[in-house]
Amino acid sequence: MQPLLLLHGAIGAASQLQPLADKLKTDFSIHTLDFSGHGGRSVTDEPFSIALFAGDVLRFMKEQQIDKISVFGYSMGGYVGMYLARYHPEKISKVITLATKYHWDETIAAKEIQMLHPEKIEQKIPAFAETLKDRHNPSAWKEVLKKTAEMITALGNDNTLKEGDYASVSTPALLLLGDRDKMVSLEETVAVYKTLPNARLGVLPNTPHPIEQVDVNLLAFMVKHFLE
């Protein structure tokens, strides 16, 4: 079966994509991984970055003896997938992104990192704090948020993928976005879609940003239709 790698978003984990994996496992050889520092993996001194997470994927493929694979990436995972399609096209068959934020600047980055303060999360949404403790190493979840905030700040100062990069991506791509996503705009998604030489665009109805609120049956259908 065709191999398909599912990549999670920032401060997320592979376990969040298990419902999608279950829907697709009869048609594809499904693979998942946790990025460095996520899902209980050790948090190293190396800064979080798109390049670091792309390296995680390349090492995983080497370990699994996979020469080429299609990638579905949610949010930041989609950015990693697109980065791989840009700089390692020989490794990526097709790339699908969902709710991926492509446009970063200092103002946007400053806004996003306001939601990554551990102390505020513990005070205002303690249930989410417990979720993060369960999702990551309980003693290191605050460090995961800190390093993620630093990565977003770096993206705001110098976006890893520029407009010219997308024009160089020949890998077939499907860009998906929920119509109620408050983090990612339709305008930035369409802009990248129009720049990519070989891309399709899809909008999921009644769908906000969180992966847990996505209609998994609809998403699985769109993924399968594109890959087949």
Side-chain angles (χ1 to χ4, degrees), residues 66-136:
I66 300 172
D67 293 327
K68 197 168 187 177
I69 199 167
S70 290
V71 171
F72 167 86
Y74 163 69
S75 197
M76 182 193 72
Y79 202 115
V80 174
M82 195 64 72
Y83 178 93
L84 287 164
R86 168 66 178 90
Y87 291 105
H88 302 276
E90 74 284 357
K91 295 292 186 181
I92 308 300
S93 300
K94 293 184 178 181
V95 60
I96 304 168
T97 71
L98 169 64
T100 293
K101 185 152 195 67
Y102 293 103
H103 176 67
W104 291 97
D105 58 30
E106 293 182 5
T107 301
I108 290 172
K111 178 183 177 182
E112 293 302 322
I113 64 175
Q114 291 302 312
M115 297 181 285
L116 294 173
H117 293 295
E119 292 74 19
K120 289 183 179 179
I121 293 174
E122 285 182 313
Q123 181 180 6
K124 296 184 177 181
I125 38 178
F128 185 46
E130 291 301 318
T131 295
L132 291 172
K133 290 178 184 178
D134 291 339
R135 182 180 297 166
H136 308 295

Side-chain angles (χ1 to χ4, degrees), residues 123-174:
Q123 181 180 6
K124 296 184 177 181
I125 38 178
F128 185 46
E130 291 301 318
T131 295
L132 291 172
K133 290 178 184 178
D134 291 339
R135 182 180 297 166
H136 308 295
N137 185 327
S139 63
W141 72 278
K142 293 183 179 181
E143 185 67 12
V144 172
L145 265 65
K146 176 178 178 290
K147 283 181 169 289
T148 300
E150 292 171 348
M151 177 183 71
I152 290 175
T153 298
L155 281 170
N157 293 331
D158 184 19
N159 205 350
T160 301
L161 291 176
K162 312 294 195 297
E163 182 177 345
D165 288 312
Y166 298 113
S168 301
V169 176
S170 59
T171 303
L174 171 62

